[in-house]
Amino acid sequence: EEATRRGGGAMAFRSSGAAAAAASSSSSAGVLGGIFLTATATALGAKAFASTRVRRNTVGFLHPVARDGGGGERVLWCAVRAIMTAKPGVKVILYTDLPPMPPSGEKDDKMVMSSSSENFSVEGEELEDQESFWSRHMRRRALDKFGVRLPSPLEVVELKSTGLLNPSLYPRLTLVLQSLMSIAVGGEALLKATPEYYVDTCGVPFVLPLARLLGCRTACYVHYPVISTNMLRRVRQRKEMYNNRSTGALTSFAKTAYYKVFALLYGCVGSFAQVCVTNSSWTRGHVRDIFWRKFWWQQEPTAPSPSTVFPPCNTEELTEIPLKSGARNLKKPIILSIGQFRPEKDHALQIEAFALALRQAEGSGSNLRAIAHSRLVLVGGCRTEEDARRVEGLRQMARDLGLSDQQCEFHVNVPYSKIKDLLSRAVVGIHTMVDEHFGIGVVEYMASGVIAVANNSGGPAADIIAPVHGQATGYLASTAEEYASALVNALCISDREREKMQVAARTSIQRFSEKSFDDGFVGAMDGIF
């Protein structure tokens, strides 16, 4: 080719070019042959591994951090309970990290689990002697924290590598590096115990191909897409948020390209789920847009279309809370916020909106007196020291806005009984996360008779705060000013209008019950069982 371009010495160059081409062809063939042999050996080895190591009649739930206290953990325990109840012959394996071992005096194989609402013992169960301390610990946590009673023991497999998922380790290329490290975490889990059925409940889809390779049948419950079309749009528009810093045009172009490549990878690995369940119509739409349903060499889709099973909300118990009671003080109302202290929950917006609402009430008539005497109570879990520092920053922000500690309270890592008590006393509940995938906290407000003020996006807007026969069931807002107006309206409506909204809200949330989740989840999992 070079000889032809130069116009002379064609024969000599062609001869040497032919030799080089032959060598190159031989080298390429060797590389391709090596790749083929490696892939073949890997596949055969995986098949042999699967035939000897896969533990039949076991279902493994990968949930690297099963002690964060959030809605995702509640879904985990309800999913485990649903499988235990519907498939009693199937043993459940939980892959997770574990807290530090308690003092030896607390590690008692005859330990009896208890909670404030119910006492129960593992004595007399068929597998009592085989149940480990960590099985009992997890069952006790599920009951104490979420009111979820697991009917039988489970096998707990400790993961030592979950620290690799900490996003602070990867200040650059966070999505890619976290996803690659999740393969290592998943590999540790599956090599320690390879289940017949593998279920991802916490959003680590890059483990799915490995699970399929090792002989598992796979399913995933998607709370929130790792990347979505909304994220791509914000990067293109250079819209600043907690997870998207303001950048120049060139950097924005590069980030957009990076996210598009990652979206391709995410869609590819997601297609390895033989059953895909999402928690809301908002999530389903984004997963449907990104997950591949077939590879380029296939004529027809092979991956299933994602279905929706709404998360389990404790509606049965919370709807027993009276709509009207002396505990719900309308003259000194509580504005309740339930949500983990993570940046995406945007607690700062709640505090800013509350301060604006108080300023609106200053010097006003008696109709706004309830706002002047209201207080904001923020309840949530702290996972890390960074979360704890975030809470301290929010405390200081409240003081800087002129709010006293009595006007703006913080309750961190409280038990479920405390949350239920606050729900029985609150008048308004506030939620501010943009593109919340679902919004269990919003449903809990509505079930408890608390008027919900939620963000006008994601699950709350698409699935939860919807009118019932023309009757509003809550308020939607986006900016601090809109939230402040919504708080004023929610606190100042007449008793009759409040009761009408409470009744409509309770009617609408029946579709989010634990029973609906159990039936829907088990029905979806029948696709792999």
Side-chain angles (χ1 to χ4, degrees):
E1 292 174 351
E2 185 174 350
T4 303
R5 286 196 297 271
R6 292 184 179 182
M11 184 62 85
F13 274 98
R14 284 173 184 159
S15 298
S16 61
S24 175
S25 176
S26 176
S27 175
S28 298
V31 171
L32 291 174
I35 293 175
F36 176 76
L37 290 173
T38 301
T40 302
T42 301
L44 290 174
K47 185 175 182 180
F49 175 90
S51 64
T52 58
R53 291 290 303 272
V54 170
R55 295 168 55 180
R56 302 301 171 191
N57 292 320
T58 58
V59 55
F61 288 85
L62 179 62
H63 205 94
V65 182
R67 50 192 175 96
D68 59 3
E73 187 184 348
R74 179 177 181 80
V75 169
L76 166 69
W77 295 127
C78 288
V80 169
R81 181 187 60 190
I83 293 297
M84 285 180 171
T85 303
K87 315 284 185 184
V90 174
K91 184 180 179 75
V92 172
I93 303 173
L94 174 64
Y95 307 99
T96 187
D97 68 346
L98 294 175
M101 182 66 71
S104 57
E106 298 180 24
K107 186 180 178 184
D108 180 5
D109 286 338
K110 299 295 183 182
M111 182 177 59
V112 175
M113 296 184 272
S114 65
S115 74
S116 58
S117 60
E118 180 178 12
N119 293 331
F120 69 96
S121 171
V122 296
E123 292 180 6
E125 288 185 353
E126 183 179 351
L127 298 178
E128 176 197 353
D129 293 338
Q130 289 77 27
E131 184 175 9
S132 69
F133 165 79
W134 287 118
S135 171
R136 296 181 176 187
H137 172 85
M138 291 299 181
R139 293 171 70 197
R140 180 173 57 182
R141 175 178 174 79
L143 180 65
D144 290 347
K145 193 73 176 178
F146 300 100
V148 177
R149 177 175 178 137
L150 303 183
S152 57
L154 67 159
E155 180 178 344
V156 181
V157 174
E158 181 180 9
L159 299 179
K160 301 287 190 179
S161 57
T162 55
L164 295 173
L165 300 178
N166 187 346
S168 64
L169 298 176
Y170 317 109
R172 297 288 183 271
L173 302 177
T174 308
L175 286 177
V176 167
L177 294 176
Q178 261 191 309
S179 298
L180 292 176
M181 291 302 102
S182 73
I183 300 175
V185 176
E188 179 193 1
L190 295 172
L191 290 176
K192 285 183 174 180
T194 309
E196 184 173 3
Y197 312 103
Y198 166 82
V199 184
D200 167 28
T201 57
C202 66
V204 283
F206 280 71
V207 183
L208 291 168
L210 178 63
R212 288 285 294 274
L213 185 66
L214 295 178
C216 306
R217 296 183 61 78
T218 56
C220 63
Y221 187 92
V222 183
H223 295 274
Y224 195 87
V226 177
I227 191 167
S228 67
T229 52
N230 286 4
M231 292 173 64
L232 292 169
R233 185 183 67 252
R234 291 190 190 110
V235 173
R236 283 196 303 269
Q237 296 174 348
R238 287 181 276 171
K239 183 177 181 180
E240 189 168 2
M241 286 187 67
Y242 69 94
N243 60 350
N244 184 44
R245 289 174 292 184
S246 179
T247 59
L250 183 60
T251 303
S252 178
F253 176 80
K255 286 179 68 175
T256 301
Y258 163 68
Y259 280 135
K260 284 185 175 180
V261 171
F262 181 81
L264 286 174
L265 293 174
Y266 179 55
C268 176
V269 299
S271 68
F272 282 84
Q274 293 166 289
V275 168
C276 178
V277 184
T278 62
N279 68 342
S280 68
S281 57
W282 182 90
T283 304
R284 184 185 70 240
H286 287 284
V287 168
R288 188 175 56 231
D289 289 343
I290 292 178
F291 275 21
W292 296 7
R293 295 202 57 209
K294 69 182 184 68
F295 292 97
W296 60 85
W297 64 82
Q298 296 172 326
Q299 297 297 321
E300 299 294 333
T302 56
S305 180
S307 60
T308 297
V309 176
F310 292 123
C313 305
N314 192 12
T315 57
E316 293 91 342
E317 184 176 353
L318 294 178
T319 51
E320 295 176 1
I321 296 175
L323 296 180
K324 290 183 178 180
S325 70
R328 215 183 293 275
N329 191 337
L330 299 178
K331 294 182 178 180
K332 296 182 179 180
I334 293 176
I335 301 172
L336 181 62
S337 167
I338 299 176
Q340 290 179 302
F341 289 106
R342 303 201 308 255
E344 63 268 27
K345 297 298 183 180
D346 203 358
H347 291 89
L349 179 57
Q350 299 175 9
I351 297 172
E352 181 183 359
F354 178 58
L356 283 174
L358 288 178
R359 283 202 288 271
Q360 290 182 20
E362 290 178 358
S364 62
S366 59
N367 60 324
L368 295 183
R369 189 173 298 163
I371 301 171
H373 293 92
S374 63
R375 56 194 173 107
L376 176 64
V377 178
L378 299 100
V379 180
C382 281
R383 306 160 300 169
T384 62
E385 291 183 4
E386 183 181 359
D387 288 349
R389 289 193 296 269
R390 185 172 297 110
V391 172
E392 290 306 311
L394 291 169
R395 290 183 196 272
Q396 187 57 50
M397 175 188 175
R399 296 181 186 120
D400 293 342
L401 289 173
L403 303 176
S404 67
D405 292 344
Q406 289 71 39
Q407 289 177 304
C408 188
E409 301 177 12
F410 291 83
H411 298 268
V412 180
N413 295 332
V414 299
Y416 177 71
S417 57
K418 176 67 175 178
I419 294 175
K420 185 180 176 182
D421 175 64
L422 287 169
L423 285 168
S424 70
R425 295 191 288 126
V427 176
V428 175
I430 188 170
H431 159 280
T432 47
M433 179 176 172
V434 175
D435 287 344
E436 173 77 87
H437 44 284
F438 180 68
I440 288 180
V442 179
V443 175
E444 290 179 337
Y445 295 154
M446 297 166 70
S448 305
V450 178
I451 303 299
V453 178
N455 194 270
N456 192 13
S457 67
D463 295 316
I464 302 175
I465 300 184
V468 175
H469 305 303
Q471 171 62 52
T473 57
Y475 296 88
L476 295 170
S478 298
T479 65
E481 291 75 17
E482 291 176 357
Y483 271 103
S485 296
L487 291 175
V488 170
N489 291 334
L491 289 172
C492 296
I493 58 176
S494 67
D495 291 346
R496 182 181 178 185
E497 286 300 315
R498 178 179 293 106
E499 185 175 3
K500 287 169 62 177
M501 187 176 290
Q502 289 172 322
V503 171
R506 276 196 173 173
T507 301
S508 72
I509 53 86
Q510 296 306 315
R511 55 209 164 103
F512 306 132
S513 68
E514 290 187 358
K515 184 179 186 308
S516 296
F517 172 82
D518 290 353
D519 294 342
F521 185 79
V522 172
M525 291 303 109
D526 280 340
I528 59 171
F529 276 95

